[in-house]
Amino acid sequence: MIRSAETFARSAHAGQFRKGAARLPYDTHLAEVADFVTRHGGDPAAVAAAWLHDTVEDTEVSFADLEAKFGAEVTGLVRELTDDKALAKAERKRMQVVHAPGKSPKAALVKLGDKTSNVRSLRLNPPGWPPERIAAYVAWAAQVVGALPPQSEAALAEFRAAVALHD
């Protein structure tokens, strides 16, 4: 299932790039999140969801497509991790904080991996944002992570290390 999710996600995100001067292929982010989830004890459904967490939000893939290929559990996790693109960006960000406490343990682990990857990337492959915007993103990511259900100390330490890159 994990290899299938990886292949599917890489194909769905083909031609997309990370923000940042290096223009890294977007799937590098997905690989980082999947690796984080694996290293911090995620089961196969969580790792598959890590690969797929942005497919509905950022590609033409639908929840029905995911359900047909990966089943209800993985699709449910992706659903927990998908922002409502009908909302304005500021509202989507606010809703991530609001919904964080109710995340299932598996979705919370993927969300923590996602935020860790994003915060680290802002330092290692900066997108050309002004320092104030980067600082605001890091503060918001910390707010989301702080609202998540309890996570392992090792996973949280990795997030804190990514945040510390900005100090």
Side-chain angles (χ1 to χ4, degrees):
M1 173 174 43
I2 293 168
R3 185 69 56 207
S4 181
E6 176 184 353
T7 300
F8 185 91
R10 287 184 190 275
S11 176
H13 290 279
Q16 295 180 350
F17 298 91
R18 299 269 350 218
K19 295 176 179 114
R23 287 191 39 88
L24 297 172
Y26 191 78
D27 62 6
T28 59
H29 167 66
L30 305 175
E32 288 175 5
V33 178
D35 178 64
F36 180 97
V37 171
T38 300
R39 286 183 293 101
H40 294 290
D43 72 1
V47 177
W51 278 106
L52 301 166
H53 76 275
D54 282 334
T55 54
V56 173
E57 198 171 305
D58 295 339
T59 75
E60 298 301 314
V61 172
S62 69
F63 289 119
D65 296 332
L66 293 181
E67 180 112 20
K69 185 132 180 87
F70 299 102
E73 181 181 16
V74 171
T75 303
L77 292 170
V78 174
R79 194 178 297 277
E80 281 189 73
L81 297 160
T82 300
D83 288 347
D84 180 352
K85 293 289 263 204
L87 300 175
K89 184 176 181 179
E91 182 64 7
R92 287 194 312 265
K93 289 179 81 167
R94 187 182 78 77
M95 294 309 291
Q96 281 198 34
V97 176
V98 168
H99 291 141
K103 296 279 183 240
S104 67
K106 293 176 188 183
L109 180 60
V110 176
K111 180 64 80 175
L112 178 55
D114 179 51
K115 295 300 177 227
T116 301
S117 172
N118 288 343
V119 168
R120 186 182 297 128
S121 181
L122 287 174
R123 183 67 165 143
L124 301 179
N125 182 30
W129 296 351
E132 302 79 23
R133 183 172 177 191
I134 290 173
Y137 183 93
V138 171
W140 167 75
Q143 192 177 14
V144 172
V145 167
L148 289 170
Q151 296 294 306
S152 76
E153 186 52 41
L156 289 169
E158 192 169 338
F159 175 76
R160 286 192 296 269
V163 169
L165 292 171
H166 298 276
D167 291 341

